[in-house]
Amino acid sequence: DYLPWNQPRREPLRLEHKYRPASVRFDYRTTHQDDYPLKGLVKTMSCKPLAMPKLCNIPLEDLTNYKMSYVAHPMEKRFVHEAEKFRPCEIPFESLTTHKQSFRGLMGEPAKSLKPLARPPGLDMPLSNTTEFRDKYQAWPTPQMFSKAPIPYVPPEDRMDLLTTAQAHYTYPKGAPAQSCRPALQIKKSGRFEGSTTTKDDYKQWSSMRAEPVKPIPQLNFPTEPLDCLTTTQAHYVPHPPINTKSCKPHWSGPRGNVPVEAQTTYTISFTPKEMGRCLASYPEPPGYTFKEVDASGHRIYKRISQAGSQQSSHLSVDDSENSNQRKLEVSA
């Protein structure tokens, strides 16, 4: 069915190949290689000072403000408080307790023993075999089950039709084998197979040589002198012998003497006792005040008599009113 057609070859739709490689030799150097060339070691001069000990003939001034200004005072003997000796009480101890005084033993009936008898009566009688289940739950008479006799099987006398619905209804009255409409295959025995493709024609292998790797020219000169392994700490910080310093701590002259403690405090000096006055809320009707009204919350509101009466006493200050109220409280008390 699928035979090759004799059609001419179509040219592929591609852009025109205009690239031509340059005939000049390719410069393989990069911007980094041109701008940052390799430089050799720069021989620098060591500016490290020579390791010479610094000697000074001037002695160290060991005077301090503490040595010059400190005056050692004699230490007083420490006061030691002697505890008072324990004196036992001369009144004899009462060996009475609340239990002995309040809870006195009363005469009562002796306790009865609730211990069961050693052999309860009725153990010699034989055990009864009747139970509540046997007495109340008796077996009911069950009726005889009715069983129906099965119907005997009678095989059919006719022959069984083994045809299905499809075989019985979907028949082929004019049945004939189907004929193939495929044309005859014509095999060409002469001619050469064309095995060229677009990829083989356009993408051909180029003749190229392997490029050698670009390696920089070594320009590093190693020094001939051995490396000085001394650091600045090892060269300058040389360990020195320790110097014994003189202690400036004053000597202890001994404990303080028996000095009594000064029993004066800010409370004992500044506190002045004041008289305790009675609170006005403790009176059923407080003196110096008259009942005004009862607010929504149920509180009784009072006002001073000086405000309710004439205004002659309005020039009295708050201190005077308080003093008068205090005098009334003292008189009432």
Side-chain angles (χ1 to χ4, degrees), residues 62-80:
D62 58 346
L63 292 177
T64 59
N65 296 337
Y66 185 81
K67 291 183 179 180
M68 297 170 60
S69 302
Y70 180 77
V71 180
H73 297 280
M75 298 292 292
E76 299 178 357
K77 188 176 181 181
R78 185 177 178 182
F79 173 73
V80 180

Side-chain angles (χ1 to χ4, degrees), residues 247-274:
S247 177
C248 300
K249 182 179 179 181
H251 298 284
W252 185 51
S253 60
R256 298 180 60 183
N258 190 2
V259 180
V261 180
E262 183 179 359
Q264 291 185 358
T265 60
T266 309
Y267 183 80
T268 56
I269 297 174
S270 304
F271 178 76
T272 55
K274 299 179 181 179

Side-chain angles (χ1 to χ4, degrees), residues 163-302:
L163 293 176
T164 61
T165 308
Q167 295 176 0
H169 296 279
Y170 297 93
T171 58
Y172 301 93
K174 298 180 181 181
Q179 296 181 3
S180 177
C181 299
R182 184 174 59 179
L185 181 62
Q186 298 179 3
I187 301 174
K188 292 183 179 182
K189 296 184 179 180
S190 61
R192 188 178 178 183
F193 177 72
E194 184 181 358
S196 61
T197 59
T198 308
T199 305
K200 289 183 179 181
D201 295 343
D202 298 339
Y203 298 94
K204 295 182 179 181
Q205 186 177 5
W206 294 359
S207 57
S208 60
M209 299 296 292
R210 181 180 180 185
E212 297 293 334
V214 180
K215 298 181 181 179
I217 302 173
Q219 299 178 1
L220 182 63
N221 298 328
F222 294 97
T224 57
E225 299 178 358
L227 179 65
D228 186 7
C229 297
L230 286 177
T231 61
T232 308
T233 304
Q234 295 178 356
H236 292 275
Y237 295 94
V238 183
H240 298 283
I243 301 173
N244 295 329
T245 57
K246 184 179 179 181
S247 177
C248 300
K249 182 179 179 181
H251 298 284
W252 185 51
S253 60
R256 298 180 60 183
N258 190 2
V259 180
V261 180
E262 183 179 359
Q264 291 185 358
T265 60
T266 309
Y267 183 80
T268 56
I269 297 174
S270 304
F271 178 76
T272 55
K274 299 179 181 179
E275 297 181 0
M276 298 296 291
R278 186 177 176 182
C279 182
L280 298 176
S282 61
Y283 294 94
E285 293 293 335
Y289 291 87
T290 58
F291 176 74
K292 183 179 180 181
E293 60 181 353
V294 179
D295 59 356
S297 302
H299 299 287
R300 298 171 61 87
I301 301 176
Y302 293 85

Side-chain angles (χ1 to χ4, degrees), residues 51-126:
M52 296 179 62
K54 297 182 181 180
L55 301 178
C56 185
N57 298 329
I58 302 174
L60 180 64
E61 184 180 359
D62 58 346
L63 292 177
T64 59
N65 296 337
Y66 185 81
K67 291 183 179 180
M68 297 170 60
S69 302
Y70 180 77
V71 180
H73 297 280
M75 298 292 292
E76 299 178 357
K77 188 176 181 181
R78 185 177 178 182
F79 173 73
V80 180
H81 180 74
E82 296 182 358
E84 297 181 359
K85 295 182 179 181
F86 173 73
R87 288 190 240 174
C89 184
E90 299 177 356
I91 303 173
F93 181 71
E94 296 181 1
S95 60
L96 293 178
T97 60
T98 308
H99 184 80
K100 291 182 179 180
Q101 292 180 358
S102 303
F103 299 93
R104 300 179 181 180
L106 302 178
M107 298 299 295
E109 298 180 359
K112 297 180 180 180
S113 177
L114 301 177
K115 183 178 180 182
L117 300 177
R119 189 182 182 109
L123 291 180
D124 298 337
M125 300 174 59

Side-chain angles (χ1 to χ4, degrees), residues 129-186:
N129 295 330
T130 59
T131 60
E132 184 181 0
F133 186 81
R134 293 179 181 179
D135 294 344
K136 294 184 179 182
Y137 298 94
Q138 301 292 336
W140 292 1
T142 56
Q144 187 178 2
M145 299 297 293
F146 173 76
S147 60
K148 185 179 179 181
I151 302 173
Y153 173 72
V154 180
E157 298 177 356
D158 300 337
R159 188 176 181 182
M160 184 177 180
D161 187 7
L162 299 177
L163 293 176
T164 61
T165 308
Q167 295 176 0
H169 296 279
Y170 297 93
T171 58
Y172 301 93
K174 298 180 181 181
Q179 296 181 3
S180 177
C181 299
R182 184 174 59 179
L185 181 62
Q186 298 179 3

